[in-house]
């Protein structure tokens, strides 16, 4: 998608700090990290959000989750991590290219949802 920032990262038109890449997905560090380890895994195929994903996307989404633990360990989160998929207006999604946030580090994260 031409005006999608993550598609531009996937195409190499915008630089990123790459964590992992294969034919189906790219993982890269969040530009504004919320934890000592914070990267995202995105499918190379543009899908707006989890609300728009369909069953044909299931194999790639499954693989994205399946690589998460290894990547989190390699990035410095050896003892668990948090996955977040912000979806749509209610989920406060900012970038409309489906992505899984992986957050962690050496110490436990804050509780899951901060109250405003
Ligand atoms: P969302 O709220 O959509 O789940 O999160 C989007 C995330 O993308 C944010 O955490 C934001 O910091 C990150 N982000 C936005 N633009 C860029 C960018 O150009 N490069 C990288 N690496 N991350 C970005
Ligand atoms: Zn995209």
């Amino acid at each position: 998608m031409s005006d999608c920032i993550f598609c531009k990262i996937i195409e190499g038109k915008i630089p990123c700090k790459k964590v992992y890449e294969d034919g189906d997905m790219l993982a890269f560090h969040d530009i504004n990290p919320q934890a000592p380890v914070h990267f995202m895994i995105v499918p190379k195929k543009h899908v707006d959000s989890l609300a728009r994903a369909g069953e044909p996307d299931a194999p790639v989404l499954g693989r994205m989750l399946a690589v998460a633990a290894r990547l989190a360990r390699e990035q410095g989160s050896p003892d668990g991590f948090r996955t977040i998929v912000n979806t749509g207006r209610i989920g406060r999604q900012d970038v409309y290219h489906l992505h899984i946030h992986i957050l962690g580090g050496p110490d436990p994260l804050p509780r899951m949802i901060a109250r405003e």
Side-chain angles (χ1 to χ4, degrees), residues 1 4-8 10 44-47 96-97:
M1 233 192 153
C4 170
I5 195 160
F6 286 178
C7 281
K8 287 182 180 152
I10 290 161
K44 287 192 168 176
K45 175 192 162 194
H46 180 94
V47 177
Y96 276 77
H97 181 127

Side-chain angles (χ1 to χ4, degrees), residues 6-22:
F6 286 178
C7 281
K8 287 182 180 152
I9 288 174
I10 290 161
E11 291 162 11
K13 292 177 180 160
I14 293 176
C16 71
K17 279 175 65 186
K18 193 197 309 187
V19 168
Y20 173 75
E21 181 172 17
D22 66 25

Side-chain angles (χ1 to χ4, degrees), residues 9 14-20 26-31 33 36 38-40 75:
I9 288 174
I14 293 176
C16 71
K17 279 175 65 186
K18 193 197 309 187
V19 168
Y20 173 75
L26 177 68
F28 54 95
H29 290 277
D30 197 294
I31 205 166
H38 185 181
F39 62 90
M40 288 173 287
Q75 293 301 314

